[in-house]
Amino acid sequence: MSRLRVLWVSLLGLALVRCTVPSLEDLWREKGFCAAGDEDCGMLRIRVDAQGFEPGCLKFEAKEAGRDATLTATVPYRGTARAGKTLTQGFSPPKDWGLGVTVSVSAFEQGCEGKAVTAQSRQSTLREGGVSEVAFVVAATDADRDGYVSVATGGSDCSDELAEVNPGAAELCNEADDNCNGAKDEGLGLGDTCATELGCMGVKVCGQGGAVTCVAQTEQAAWADDDQDGHGDTSRGQVPVCSSTLPPNRLPLTAPHDDCDDDDARIHPGAVEVCNELDDNCINGTDEGFGIGQACTDPTYQCVNGRVFCGRDGGTQCLPPATVPTWYPDDDQDFFGASDGGVLSCPVPAPGFVNQRGDCDDGNPFIHPNALELCDEQDNNCNNLVDENGACRGDGPTWVSESVNNGGPALRGVSLFGDGGVWVVGDDSTRAIKPSGSSSFTVLPGKCTGGTTQRALYGVWAHPQTGVAYIGGDNDILTIQSPSSSWCDPYKPPSASGTTTSLKGFVGNDGGVLIVGVGSLSNGTVGGSFEWDGGIATVPVQSYSGQPLFGVDGVSQTLLFAVGDASGRSNILRRSGGSGGWVPEASVPDAGALWAVDVVNNKLAYAVGANGTFLAWNGATWSIGYGPVTNDILTGVLAFGSNSVYVVSANGYIFRYNGRAWTQFSVGMSLYDIEGTSPEDIWAVGNFGNVFHYPGWPQ
């Protein structure tokens, strides 16, 4: 390419570039109103000063001369950085406008809406490439500086001297037009029905500080006294009363305000404290002075570890412990009580009660749970079985006899000692012993003649440890025998002649013995009693005219009975304490003469005699008991309990009571005495030297 052509292309490019660059006027005419605060923008500078108030907003309007084309702009003023200063607003007319324009400025109190406070217009002719200016001064009065111009200067502030009064203010209850809407206290409901703070009905009125308040015609404050005891309720403050007179359950504020329970008129300061689990006198304590919770003795169950508590009558009671023992009657004294009849008590309610129940037969001490099963035709261990687990040997329990002197003289008395030892005595000075561990009797030699007559022996008592026998018989004989005795020279300690019919002995703590004897004197017309220490010294005999005695028994030196005949009727004497004297028992039934007595325990004894007489003692009185139905002479009695009784008779019967019925066993000969250590170790003696044992003969 030639240099001329290159130069022409270059000049053509420059020409084209220069034709596309707009002029400054072109750029201004594109803007219209400039951004607020941009003073260097546009062909026209519009300057505005505000006097006497701060407009909330300024509104600018530009209109092309001779045409209707108009442009507007709104500019915030109050609250901006320009507030209080001259505001300059730039303007450039559009390209299609001419250079003659009319500019207007309107000032508003708040936003650029509604009626302007003031408005001004200026005409201006613009010039290309130059900047023109036009100045405005907008003036109005806002004396209270609340942002609202006075009505007199074109604004809406109806009271320009009070900043709190203007169209934007909240209407107060003050009989004034606070919001300049031409009305006073509107929308506040003045005169409407309302409830006061105390709850009384009233009407709404203006109160202090322009607030609406509710006022009742009559109301007052009081203390609540719902229980009407003259003491106000401390749990409640002042309560309203909407009348001039207080009702009965309200008190004036001058009354005491100290009631801790306004539902109970008995409770208030000054009241008497009652044991009721309440604070009667309002001293922040309950039942003070009554010892609540302290240990006490419960009167019902006699529990010493009870605790004091309030009773129903306002006094105190003793609350027993949560668990009170139950005691059951133990009539047979085997330490197992009956299954019923339990008594709640902390101490033993009475002698004869135990805290173990379940005895299936409380009249037999050899029958109770876990008892040893005996060969006695009974359920000893309460398991509903009889004589189980080999309790019996041979064919089962029965009465077995042996004659100790080959069918000789009758045997009148029997006594047991040690573990299976037996003494028997009888007519013709008969004395025989079965030592412990032996199965047979040995008859001792020698006669108790005391002179020329061989005496009959009736009573015998064997020392339970030594086995020494103390024996009494007719013609005032008393003797002491041991297993090795070969003679029977009698001691004669009684001071009166007669027949010793029965003996009962006791071993003292010092090892000595006390033997109590009874008998008949003067050929059976007088009774006698004596006490013997086993020595040879003479002891006095107490006589009882017309009352021969035939039997004596007891469980201690202070509980002994002697029985006999009082003109064919029952006679019972009781040993009086430790003095050795005897006194008649009161209220003895009018029955036959008594031959024998057995004292079982301190609540049970039996006495038997002529014509089937059977008497029972319950620890207090004697009565006719449930005995065998017979007119036989009952000569001996043995009892282990009220349901385990054995009686022998002159006609040769052994009667047995098991708590349900009497049964009888005939031995075919007269029987005179019976003794035993348990229902499977019972001995009876009778005619022809016979000894009977139940449930079989000892092996």
Side-chain angles (χ1 to χ4, degrees), residues 574-586:
R574 180 172 180 172
R575 187 171 187 265
S576 177
S579 64
W582 295 78
V583 295
E585 279 284 85

Side-chain angles (χ1 to χ4, degrees), residues 99-462:
L99 296 179
V101 296
T102 300
V103 178
S104 299
V105 176
S106 300
F108 296 83
E109 290 176 310
Q110 300 297 315
C112 289
E113 301 293 337
K115 174 179 172 293
V117 173
T118 181
Q120 300 179 23
S121 297
R122 301 279 191 275
Q123 291 184 351
S124 180
T125 301
L126 306 180
R127 52 191 177 85
E128 293 289 350
V131 177
S132 300
E133 289 188 3
V134 60
F136 293 88
V137 175
V138 292
T141 301
D142 180 14
D144 54 13
R145 298 298 180 184
D146 60 0
Y148 291 88
V149 175
S150 68
V151 173
T153 59
S156 60
D157 195 342
C158 60
S159 182
D160 199 36
E161 68 277 5
L162 298 175
E164 62 270 19
V165 177
N166 56 66
E171 188 69 15
L172 301 179
C173 193
N174 55 8
E175 298 184 2
D177 180 13
D178 301 286
N179 55 11
C180 296
N181 67 349
K184 297 179 181 180
D185 302 333
E186 73 280 3
L188 300 181
L190 297 181
D192 292 349
T193 301
C194 57
T196 68
E197 291 184 359
L198 294 179
C200 299
M201 295 308 296
V203 294
K204 293 181 179 180
V205 297
C206 291
Q208 294 182 351
V212 177
T213 185
C214 187
V215 177
Q217 184 176 1
T218 303
E219 70 173 357
Q220 59 179 313
W223 301 128
D225 183 23
D226 288 337
D227 58 9
Q228 300 182 35
D229 59 4
H231 294 261
D233 186 355
T234 58
S235 67
R236 298 166 66 183
Q238 298 179 10
V239 295
V241 175
C242 302
S243 64
S244 58
T245 302
L246 293 178
N249 64 342
R250 295 294 181 262
L251 296 174
L253 298 182
T254 56
H257 182 228
D258 53 8
D259 197 343
C260 59
D261 186 346
D262 202 39
D263 293 325
D264 193 333
R266 298 168 299 176
I267 299 177
H268 55 77
V272 176
E273 187 70 13
V274 179
C275 193
N276 54 8
E277 300 182 1
L278 300 174
D279 181 13
D280 301 283
N281 54 13
C282 296
I283 64 170
N284 296 322
T286 300
D287 304 327
E288 63 273 8
F290 289 97
I292 302 302
Q294 294 180 2
C296 59
T297 298
D298 159 48
T300 302
Y301 305 118
Q302 297 299 310
C303 301
V304 297
N305 58 339
R307 289 292 179 267
V308 176
F309 78 108
C310 292
R312 294 182 178 178
D313 59 354
T316 59
Q317 292 184 5
C318 189
L319 179 70
T323 302
V324 177
T326 302
W327 302 87
Y328 301 90
D330 180 23
D331 290 341
D332 58 13
Q333 299 185 13
D334 60 2
F335 304 105
F336 283 86
S339 296
D340 54 7
V343 176
L344 288 171
S345 175
C346 282
V348 179
F353 278 78
V354 296
N355 60 3
Q356 187 169 223
R357 62 178 296 187
D359 198 338
C360 58
D361 186 345
D362 199 37
N364 188 335
F366 293 93
I367 296 178
H368 58 76
N370 302 322
L372 177 66
E373 188 67 20
L374 305 179
C375 183
D376 62 354
E377 303 173 79
Q378 299 191 87
D379 174 19
N380 300 97
N381 55 11
C382 297
N383 67 350
N384 296 320
L385 299 175
V386 175
D387 300 340
E388 74 273 16
N389 298 326
C392 295
R393 295 187 297 270
D395 296 331
T398 188
W399 287 93
V400 178
S401 65
E402 180 177 301
S403 178
V404 300
N405 54 9
N406 296 318
L411 298 178
R412 305 285 183 171
V414 57
S415 181
L416 311 181
F417 67 91
D419 184 13
V422 184
W423 276 96
V424 294
V425 298
D427 292 350
D428 196 24
S429 301
T430 300
R431 306 162 337 273
I433 181 174
K434 184 189 81 67
S436 299
S438 175
S439 62
S440 61
F441 282 85
T442 298
V443 178
L444 273 60
K447 301 297 182 179
C448 304
T449 59
T452 60
T453 304
Q454 296 179 357
R455 292 176 170 83
L457 306 178
Y458 296 105
V460 58
W461 175 76

Side-chain angles (χ1 to χ4, degrees), residues 422-650:
V422 184
W423 276 96
V424 294
V425 298
D427 292 350
D428 196 24
S429 301
T430 300
R431 306 162 337 273
I433 181 174
K434 184 189 81 67
S436 299
S438 175
S439 62
S440 61
F441 282 85
T442 298
V443 178
L444 273 60
K447 301 297 182 179
C448 304
T449 59
T452 60
T453 304
Q454 296 179 357
R455 292 176 170 83
L457 306 178
Y458 296 105
V460 58
W461 175 76
H463 193 294
Q465 286 81 41
T466 65
V468 173
Y470 299 83
I471 303 170
D474 62 8
N475 294 316
D476 60 280
I477 184 173
L478 283 176
T479 187
I480 301 175
Q481 296 285 282
S482 68
S484 60
S485 294
S486 59
W487 52 271
C488 189
D489 289 345
Y491 296 102
K492 299 179 62 178
S495 62
S497 297
T499 298
T500 299
T501 55
S502 182
L503 297 173
K504 178 65 178 181
F506 300 95
V507 179
N509 293 330
D510 58 357
V513 297
L514 172 67
I515 302 169
V516 180
V518 298
S520 62
L521 312 176
S522 302
N523 295 320
T525 61
V526 177
S529 67
F530 61 87
E531 296 184 1
W532 177 34
D533 64 2
I536 61 175
T538 300
V539 296
V541 175
Q542 181 178 348
S543 62
Y544 310 91
S545 178
Q547 303 177 53
L549 300 174
F550 303 123
V552 63
D553 192 49
V555 293
S556 68
Q557 297 181 29
T558 58
L559 182 57
L560 286 97
F561 293 106
V563 299
D565 183 10
S567 300
R569 292 191 294 270
S570 300
N571 181 34
I572 303 177
L573 304 178
R574 180 172 180 172
R575 187 171 187 265
S576 177
S579 64
W582 295 78
V583 295
E585 279 284 85
S587 303
V588 175
D590 186 9
L594 298 174
W595 287 91
V597 62
D598 184 40
V599 182
V600 183
N601 53 51
N602 59 358
K603 288 187 176 181
L604 183 65
Y606 295 102
V608 297
N611 301 319
T613 297
F614 184 88
L615 304 183
W617 180 72
N618 63 4
T621 60
W622 289 90
S623 61
I624 296 176
Y626 175 64
V629 180
T630 179
N631 289 322
D632 200 351
I633 299 175
L634 304 180
T635 55
V637 58
L638 168 68
F640 300 109
S642 59
N643 294 342
S644 181
V645 186
Y646 301 82
V647 177
V648 294
S649 75

